[in-house]
Amino acid sequence: MTNYPSNLSDSQWQFISKYFDTQRTRRYELREIINGILYLVKTGCQWRMLPKDFAPWQLVYYYFNTWKNQEIFEVIQESLVQQTRLKQGKTEQPTVGIIDAQSIKSTLVSSESRGFDAGKRIKGIKRHIIVDTLGMVLAVVIQSASVQDRDGAMDVIAKLFETWNNIIKIFADNGYRGALIDKVKNKFKIAFEVIKRSELHIFKVLPKRWIVERTFAWIDTNRRAAKNYERFNNTSTAIVHLSAIRIMLNRF
């Protein structure tokens, strides 16, 4: 077995192994396949550059692609969110979300949703996420960097409600002001509150706004997530899920 800092511990593997078919006899253990994937996410290396003491990179990529298409990483993340919340003394289902978007430079001209964010002068994609009050990722949607935050918000909120039905309120920054507030209230029947920067000294819930920004910082500690190296949106989404999984596993 390999010995890298990014490897799963015995207890971490015990938690997530139930989501994989571990009963079959294989030449390479699935735990080592996962370790290879996590090594790539953490270090940002290319698939072909995986160290030789992992399984062959073609096999590691095959499993990654299969699990990505089956949305296994998303299922694991949702379960970890529930377990992390219980460990912190909260209910499994969050009731409050915090939304924000992050424009990321894309290294591929042929990236699926590549666009230009004129405000931040970034050519690439936009990660649109919603987190709970602990900073755990509840929903993520990949969009073109040219999409305005308030224009792309409905997609990620719709994604949120595919799994988390108990949300009653979402906090957002000033980039989400305008007609979006009424759209969210009318379609999803929840409160949508924009926290203005000019009111920081008087509004008591303002500390919630930095939580999602901290989550972006956590995700960016994984070098594969520091830029968008992926061609397809669902691959970029899987990298975010894997980054979030690693964050939560380290809390156990």
Side-chain angles (χ1 to χ4, degrees):
M1 180 176 289
T2 56
N3 185 23
Y4 292 96
S6 57
N7 282 7
L8 294 170
S9 67
D10 291 341
S11 59
Q12 290 170 342
W13 171 242
Q14 183 178 6
F15 181 87
I16 70 171
S17 61
K18 59 188 176 183
Y19 298 99
F20 304 100
D21 179 13
T22 58
Q23 302 304 312
R24 281 179 49 196
T25 301
R26 295 178 172 86
R27 181 177 177 182
Y28 298 97
E29 296 181 6
L30 289 186
R31 180 174 177 177
E32 279 297 279
I33 300 294
I34 293 290
N35 284 339
I37 294 172
L38 292 176
Y39 177 92
L40 178 135
V41 172
K42 184 62 178 178
T43 65
C45 73
Q46 297 173 324
W47 288 104
R48 296 173 185 269
M49 302 299 288
L50 276 176
K52 299 300 183 182
D53 45 355
F54 285 114
W57 74 265
Q58 298 94 329
L59 183 63
V60 178
Y61 178 76
Y62 166 79
Y63 277 105
F64 167 80
N65 201 48
T66 299
W67 293 333
K68 174 192 71 176
N69 292 331
Q70 293 174 347
E71 298 184 344
I72 297 296
F73 302 130
E74 186 173 348
V75 172
I76 295 174
Q77 181 191 335
E78 291 167 0
S79 178
L80 280 168
V81 168
Q82 294 174 340
Q83 295 299 317
T84 302
R85 289 182 58 82
L86 288 175
K87 187 177 180 181
Q88 296 294 321
K90 295 182 176 293
T91 59
E92 283 189 351
Q93 286 281 335
T95 57
V96 172
I98 309 158
I99 188 172
D100 203 359
Q102 177 190 42
S103 292
I104 297 293
K105 182 179 179 181
S106 181
T107 61
L108 290 175
V109 175
S110 57
S111 180
E112 184 176 348
S113 292
R114 193 167 185 253
F116 184 68
D117 184 335
K120 298 180 180 177
R121 304 188 67 81
I122 292 177
K123 186 176 291 185
I125 63 163
K126 179 167 287 187
R127 293 183 189 134
H128 223 138
I129 70 171
I130 299 176
V131 303
D132 68 357
T133 54
L134 296 176
M136 302 295 100
V137 177
L138 303 178
V140 54
V141 171
I142 303 299
Q143 300 163 333
S144 169
S146 61
V147 176
Q148 295 293 318
D149 290 359
R150 55 182 168 271
D151 295 331
M154 295 296 284
D155 289 340
V156 70
I157 296 174
K159 180 67 176 177
L160 172 74
F161 276 90
E162 291 179 6
T163 304
W164 310 103
N165 299 315
N166 289 0
I167 298 293
I168 60 174
K169 191 169 190 176
I170 293 178
F171 292 99
D173 64 23
N174 212 32
Y176 295 88
R177 64 188 184 280
L180 174 65
I181 299 175
D182 290 332
K183 287 182 181 178
V184 172
K185 289 180 179 178
N186 293 334
K187 182 172 182 178
F188 299 103
K189 312 303 180 185
I190 61 173
F192 190 89
E193 184 168 339
V194 172
I195 304 172
K196 297 180 181 179
R197 187 177 298 274
S198 60
E199 298 174 350
L200 283 172
H201 61 292
I202 61 172
F203 204 83
K204 64 181 181 180
V205 298
L206 285 169
K208 295 186 182 301
R209 203 177 75 167
W210 59 264
I211 294 174
V212 65
E213 296 170 357
R214 182 186 61 181
T215 300
F216 281 130
W218 286 343
I219 292 171
D220 286 344
T221 60
N222 298 278
R223 288 194 174 185
R224 190 76 181 195
K227 290 184 181 179
N228 180 47
Y229 297 97
E230 320 307 334
R231 188 177 303 275
F232 300 110
N233 289 348
N234 63 344
T235 306
S236 300
T237 301
I239 296 299
V240 175
H241 287 315
L242 284 163
S243 300
I245 286 169
R246 191 62 193 170
I247 291 166
M248 289 183 286
L249 283 175
N250 286 337
R251 294 190 173 197
F252 280 83

